[in-house]
């Protein structure tokens, strides 16, 4: 089981929205160090917060950030992008994949030695649109579906190394990213609490808001999750 109290936590995209709420919630729960990865410089009044300049699409910045971190128990891959499109521009798809898929991958690989040493956890903030696409955000949805598949694969491959991998299947949250989506939205603070509750309960998939929560039981007992469990039992080499 993962406990936030006494842990060192890194949160990418930690300057706004869900990321900022996760920083505050980790502090509330007694994290001894919270690394806030942001593209722009960040100032925070709590001395337990260490800002990291971290653009997840910049390999050099990712490597440099990993060199600045000592002990790390929990990595939260939260940085993301969501822009409307109609799948008529390959560049839009590539921009989403660069952040939501490859950024998650690169940060995970860079910090994996720290997490393996701590027998820690990786928490990927994904989306219910990894299950079903939102027509307004098809490139975003595709990138989150790919990131969910990456998360499931990493879960199996890293289990033998003592690193747990969790997926957060988030619904609409009241952030700048969803300003143009006019549906009921959860607050970032409530989502952050639910995410860290799920981390401490070691839930493989976390459903942290009113839209996603009703999906939880059906997912955990459904045939797709059953298939995932069966495939996870197959050898990972040979």
């Amino acid at each position: 089981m993962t406990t936030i109290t006494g842990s060192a936590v890194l949160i990418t995209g930690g300057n706004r929205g869900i990321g900022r709420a996760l920083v505050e919630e980790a502090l509330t729960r007694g994290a001894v160090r919270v690394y806030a990865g942001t593209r722009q410089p960040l100032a925070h009044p709590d001395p337990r917060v260490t800002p990291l300049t971290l653009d997840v699409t910049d390999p050099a910045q990712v490597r440099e950030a990993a060199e600045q971190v000592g002990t790390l128990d929990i990595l939260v891959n939260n940085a993301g992008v969501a822009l409307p499109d109609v799948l008529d521009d390959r560049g839009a798809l590539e921009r989403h994949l660069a952040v939501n898929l490859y950024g998650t991958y690169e940060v995970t690989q860079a910090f994996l030695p720290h997490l393996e040493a701590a027998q820690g956890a990786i928490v990927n903030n994904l989306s219910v649109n990894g299950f079903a696409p939102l027509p307004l955000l098809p490139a975003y949805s595709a990138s989150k579906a790919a990131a969910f598949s990456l998360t499931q694969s990493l879960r199996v491959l890293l289990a033998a190394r003592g690193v747990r991998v969790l997926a957060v299947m988030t619904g609409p949250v009241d952030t700048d990213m969803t300003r143009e989506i006019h549906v009921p939205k959860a607050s970032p603070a409530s989502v952050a609490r639910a995410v860290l509750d799920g981390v401490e309960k070691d839930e493989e998939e976390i459903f942290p808001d009113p839209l996603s929560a009703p999906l939880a039981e059906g997912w955990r007992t459904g045939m797709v999750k059953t298939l995932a469990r069966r495939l996870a039992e197959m050898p990972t080499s040979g």
Side-chain angles (χ1 to χ4, degrees), residues 4 66 71 79 82 90 144 154 156 158 165 175 194 216:
I4 308 302
T71 299
R90 175 172 173 155
K144 289 297 187 177
L154 288 171
V156 177
L158 298 181
V165 183
T175 66

Side-chain angles (χ1 to χ4, degrees), residues 24-62:
E24 299 306 321
E25 185 64 21
L27 294 171
T28 297
R29 296 187 186 219
V32 294
R33 178 65 52 199
V34 177
Y35 297 98
T38 64
R39 289 186 178 186
Q40 303 299 326
L42 173 72
H44 196 285
D46 193 310
R48 292 175 292 165
V49 175
T50 297
L52 292 177
T53 301
L54 180 54
D55 179 343
V56 302
T57 67
D58 185 330
Q61 280 193 11
V62 172

Side-chain angles (χ1 to χ4, degrees), residues 153-171:
S153 296
L154 288 171
R155 179 180 297 149
V156 177
L157 295 170
L158 298 181
R161 298 163 68 175
V163 178
R164 296 172 300 287
V165 183
L166 313 178
V168 182
M169 310 310 292
T170 311

Side-chain angles (χ1 to χ4, degrees), residues 39-205:
R39 289 186 178 186
Q40 303 299 326
L42 173 72
H44 196 285
D46 193 310
R48 292 175 292 165
V49 175
T50 297
L52 292 177
T53 301
L54 180 54
D55 179 343
V56 302
T57 67
D58 185 330
Q61 280 193 11
V62 172
R63 289 193 300 270
E64 185 176 346
E67 292 170 358
Q68 295 177 41
V69 170
T71 299
L72 185 65
D73 300 290
I74 302 168
L75 165 63
V76 183
N77 283 307
N78 169 74
V81 62
L83 301 171
D85 72 289
V86 291
L87 289 183
D88 62 348
D89 176 13
R90 175 172 173 155
L93 181 59
E94 290 175 345
R95 286 192 293 275
H96 285 85
L97 291 170
V99 177
N100 298 343
L101 176 64
Y102 297 121
T104 294
Y105 174 82
E106 294 292 348
V107 172
T108 296
Q109 292 301 312
F111 288 91
L112 187 55
H114 299 295
L115 296 164
E116 190 173 357
Q119 299 289 275
I122 299 165
V123 184
N124 291 339
N125 188 15
L126 305 175
S127 171
V128 293
N129 298 128
F131 291 147
L134 181 64
L136 177 65
L137 300 171
Y140 167 81
S141 300
S143 69
K144 289 297 187 177
F148 183 40
S149 184
L150 173 70
T151 301
Q152 292 173 299
S153 296
L154 288 171
R155 179 180 297 149
V156 177
L157 295 170
L158 298 181
R161 298 163 68 175
V163 178
R164 296 172 300 287
V165 183
L166 313 178
V168 182
M169 310 310 292
T170 311
V173 184
D174 189 13
T175 66
D176 291 343
M177 190 179 292
T178 63
R179 181 179 296 133
E180 300 304 319
I181 301 175
H182 303 294
V183 298
K185 303 169 190 175
S187 71
S190 68
V191 169
R193 288 192 297 270
V195 168
L196 295 190
D197 283 346
V199 171
E200 294 192 321
K201 294 174 183 175
D202 208 21
E203 296 175 354
E204 289 188 344
E205 283 84 30

